[in-house]
Amino acid sequence: MLDTASNRPELPPEIARRRTFAIISHPDAGKTTLTEKFLLYGGAIQMAGQVRAKGEARRTRSDFMKMEQDRGISVSASAMSFDFGKYRFNLVDTPGHSDFSEDTYRTLTAVDAAVMVIDGAKGVESQTQKLFEVCRLRDLPILTFCNKMDRESRDTFDIIDEIQENLAIDVTPASWPIGMGRDFLGCYDLLNDRLELMDRADRNVVAETVEINGLDDPKLAQHVPAHMLEKFLEEVEMARELLPTLDPQSVLEGHMTPIWFGSAINSFGVQELMQGIADYGPEPQPQQASPRAIAPEETKVAGFVFKVQANMDPKHRDRVAFMRLASGHFKRGMKLTHVRSKKPMAVSNPVLFLASDRELAEEAWAGDIIGIPNHGQLRIGDTLTEGEMIRATGIPSFAPELLQGVRAGDPMKAKHLEKALMQFAEEGAAKVFKPNIGSGFIVGVVGALQFEVLASRIEQEYGLPVRFEASQFTSARWIIGAKDEVEKLVNANKQHIAHDNDGDPVFLTRLQWDIDRVERDYPALKLSATKEMM
Ligand code: G4P
């Protein structure tokens, strides 16, 4: 139990053993490979390679998925559960491409920690930096894995310095690499005084471990050639002098990251990282909510939806809402209250994402992610409870940075288009605005690629070819304030007003000047770039 300084009560063992985290990385750093190895050691799959193979099979289903494959990006996020020793890991996948940062942001609201994967030859890349900043906003604990050590990589101190400098976080080595590239021998486990030797012959074989009695143990020389041993000992001495030692509390507070070195493809360093997640990663944390925070140890169930995925199975127009359980012990068939509508909802067929397949969840505990199939009642930001009117907060919707008009290829199909757009809006895949004047819709996204994905999905899933075209507007702001003030603004600026899919008023413009003007003329109102999903 490491959560000492926060004075939190001890959690029930079923909750305390859960570790819910995401992997953040720049594309190509090795997230997929690492995930595969996690699942392999988690006993969730029999053979490495299955995640990818399964991915391929799924992707052939539609052009949208094909596009994902062609571009080598992962558009949709999912959750996977597996056991590691006495721990239950919940790994929530984040889309890696920058165009999907909003989705990623919301995914990160559902985890307690992040594993940051960097490529040993490339160090901190642009996408790593962006995702890190998002984690920083929530002070998420971060564990770092420096991958591809079997290739020529950068000097170990350089890598550590770069993380410290660019990300402004203390870095403490949990392991230290011996040699690199072709000469990479393995790592010294600084936390447990063990030598881990990489087996190049078989990529799925777990490294040989040699217990070492401290750095002056003569056993080291039996396994490490003299010239490498000398350099290694020098480096470790320097590291111990210059770098901070592991402070578990500082890790939990997000101020320090331990770094492991390894090679995911060679299964090397992965188990040590997993042990690190178990030992230094946080237990399920309290969830901010209104009017009060939700603590994981509360006996009543509460959870919030952070992602909705529609049409996972194109044959059935189903949607799956991904809910993070914030408290309690959930059992299948439970009747929960859908706080937004105040209506009861029987959760009779929840899904637990056990690595290789979806499976019905009989039970789940605080920290777990379950999928709830539904017909559209559940939206991002929704809270389900056992009756209390409490609402999870901090799950934002960002103002889109790109706006385009959208038209159905066949004008007779306008109604169908509206339905498709509303669905994607509820899924969080885009913002959809209906301008007060004129017909048609304006679609807003955070990254340009999302337009292509949308067009492709609308055609695939609704058989509806669509055209996106330039819009006269470039910015959207939600209008926040008292009803009569909002009405005054709406009536005086009709050509700028639209409503989003929840019916909330939005101010559209192409000039910052307009936004400044409104803020000056209507001091009681706020034009907001984010909206809390509820
Ligand atoms: P991503 O999800 O972060 O985008 O990365 P992914 O795991 O797909 O890995 C990107 C590439 O890096 C893959 O090669 C993968 O095999 C390789 N890779 C992952 N871990 C290691 C490692 O420890 N050492 C080395 N040398 N390579 C590694 P690819 O050629 O793009 O794909 P594939 O044909 O190997 O599947």
Side-chain angles (χ1 to χ4, degrees):
M1 196 95 1
L2 289 162
D3 211 356
T4 45
S6 55
N7 287 328
R8 300 203 14 75
E10 197 162 306
L11 293 176
E14 262 305 335
I15 297 176
R17 77 183 184 97
R18 279 162 158 79
R19 298 286 180 273
T20 303
F21 63 99
I23 301 180
I24 57 170
S25 68
H26 192 86
D28 247 20
K31 189 175 76 168
T32 312
T33 312
L34 185 66
T35 302
E36 223 164 67
K37 300 295 165 126
F38 276 175
L39 300 180
L40 184 68
Y41 292 131
I45 50 174
Q46 301 309 315
M47 212 173 57
Q50 225 168 296
V51 174
R52 209 177 295 260
K54 212 176 131 38
E56 300 293 334
R58 194 190 59 216
R59 281 175 188 134
T60 53
R61 277 205 325 226
S62 71
D63 278 347
F64 155 62
M65 292 298 183
K66 185 168 173 300
M67 191 168 110
E68 174 178 292
Q69 183 188 352
D70 290 345
R71 295 188 184 255
I73 53 167
S74 150
V75 180
S76 46
S78 57
M80 287 165 265
S81 296
F82 50 96
D83 287 324
F84 179 72
K86 66 178 175 120
Y87 294 91
R88 162 61 57 93
F89 283 5
N90 295 311
L91 170 56
V92 188
D93 190 24
T94 51
H97 196 281
S98 59
D99 279 358
F100 299 91
S101 52
E102 182 177 2
D103 205 1
T104 306
Y105 186 96
R106 286 197 293 253
T107 296
L108 290 171
T109 63
V111 298
D112 301 305
V115 169
M116 173 167 78
V117 181
I118 59 172
D119 179 328
K122 297 190 176 146
V124 176
E125 296 176 85
S126 58
Q127 193 62 9
T128 336
Q129 177 113 26
K130 271 199 206 162
L131 290 164
F132 179 89
E133 301 302 339
V134 173
C135 295
R136 161 81 26 105
L137 288 175
R138 297 186 50 231
D139 287 328
L140 267 190
I142 298 198
L143 307 165
T144 304
F145 185 71
C146 183
N147 191 27
K148 305 198 187 183
M149 295 306 289
D150 60 318
R151 289 224 188 122
E152 262 338 280
S153 28
R154 307 239 303 260
D155 174 72
T156 312
F157 283 105
D158 269 4
I159 295 170
I160 292 178
D161 274 354
E162 187 178 85
I163 300 173
Q164 296 200 138
E165 297 275 307
N166 287 15
L167 306 180
I169 187 166
D170 288 335
V171 181
T172 181
S175 69
W176 199 268
I178 306 175
M180 72 157 84
R182 232 176 283 180
D183 294 330
F184 181 65
L185 203 71
C187 282
Y188 189 83
D189 178 342
L190 292 162
L191 303 177
N192 303 295
D193 274 317
R194 278 193 305 229
L195 191 60
E196 310 284 350
L197 299 169
M198 188 172 91
D199 185 338
R200 278 177 193 263
D202 186 343
R203 290 182 155 178
N204 291 328
V205 154
V206 176
E208 182 193 349
T209 300
V210 183
E211 299 290 336
I212 300 284
N213 202 3
L215 289 172
D216 40 17
D217 188 334
K219 248 196 286 174
L220 267 176
Q222 292 166 16
H223 297 278
V224 184
H227 67 285
M228 285 170 94
L229 183 59
E230 196 183 329
K231 181 164 183 280
F232 160 70
L233 289 173
E234 241 175 61
E235 284 181 352
V236 171
E237 196 181 327
M238 233 166 97
R240 288 201 162 144
E241 230 166 79
L242 299 174
L243 300 172
T245 46
L246 180 70
D247 171 1
Q249 194 54 41
S250 186
V251 174
L252 290 177
E253 286 163 4
H255 300 145
M256 172 182 280
T257 181
I259 182 167
W260 283 263
F261 294 84
S263 167
I265 201 141
N266 288 294
S267 312
F268 184 79
V270 177
Q271 277 190 310
E272 289 72 20
L273 173 66
M274 290 173 96
Q275 193 58 50
I277 297 169
D279 293 342
Y280 305 105
E283 303 168 344
Q285 295 293 298
Q287 168 63 37
Q288 52 164 297
S290 168
R292 62 173 188 86
I294 305 167
E297 66 274 14
E298 287 174 31
T299 48
K300 293 235 163 102
V301 168
F304 65 95
V305 175
F306 64 94
K307 182 179 174 67
V308 173
Q309 195 156 354
N311 303 348
M312 276 174 102
D313 179 352
K315 284 202 291 292
H316 309 103
R317 278 277 145 79
D318 67 341
R319 299 180 196 193
V320 174
F322 290 77
M323 178 168 90
R324 150 102 192 204
L325 226 56
S327 67
H329 179 199
F330 168 88
K331 295 193 197 74
R332 187 150 85 89
M334 248 179 156
K335 264 213 178 59
L336 296 176
T337 300
H338 180 236
V339 172
R340 181 166 50 84
S341 67
K342 302 190 179 67
K343 288 197 179 125
M345 188 170 181
V347 186
S348 45
N349 51 355
V351 183
L352 200 64
F353 298 88
L354 283 172
S356 50
D357 219 339
R358 302 204 217 167
E359 217 171 78
L360 274 192
E362 292 303 328
E363 59 163 14
W365 295 82
D368 284 342
I369 311 282
I370 57 174
I372 307 178
N374 68 100
H375 300 297
Q377 305 93 313
L378 288 176
R379 295 193 195 163
I380 294 168
D382 277 356
T383 309
L384 296 178
T385 67
E386 283 192 53
E388 191 177 341
M389 289 299 145
I390 190 168
R391 209 168 46 74
T393 53
I395 307 147
S397 178
F398 294 95
E401 287 165 23
L402 298 166
L403 300 178
Q404 287 197 349
V406 58
R407 248 173 238 295
D410 174 355
M412 303 301 286
K413 296 269 172 68
K415 266 274 160 249
H416 287 82
L417 177 63
E418 176 166 359
K419 191 163 165 246
L421 290 174
M422 286 307 154
Q423 172 168 325
F424 289 123
E426 281 166 24
E427 199 185 305
K431 300 287 170 312
V432 175
F433 305 115
K434 177 132 189 55
N436 277 18
I437 294 179
S439 62
F441 291 89
I442 289 177
V443 172
V445 297
V446 179
L449 185 56
Q450 274 171 289
F451 286 126
E452 282 178 56
V453 172
L454 273 180
S456 162
R457 285 191 64 184
I458 294 172
E459 183 159 358
Q460 281 300 318
E461 294 168 25
Y462 293 85
L464 206 63
V466 291
R467 257 198 338 270
F468 281 98
E469 49 200 36
S471 155
Q472 55 171 316
F473 303 115
T474 53
S475 302
R477 294 286 181 275
W478 281 282
I479 309 166
I480 317 278
K483 209 167 164 212
D484 51 338
E485 275 293 309
V486 174
E487 257 164 41
K488 252 193 253 164
L489 168 69
V490 167
N491 289 332
N493 294 274
K494 284 205 169 69
Q495 70 285 12
H496 286 285
I497 304 298
H499 286 82
D500 71 8
N501 57 300
D502 296 323
D504 289 329
V506 177
F507 185 82
L508 300 174
T509 178
R510 60 182 312 120
L511 301 170
Q512 179 61 36
W513 182 86
D514 262 336
I515 296 175
D516 297 341
R517 169 183 64 86
V518 168
E519 285 180 334
R520 199 177 52 239
D521 293 352
Y522 299 85
L525 292 178
K526 190 172 162 246
L527 290 187
S528 174
T530 58
K531 172 177 128 167
E532 284 248 327
M533 308 281 286
M534 49 182 175

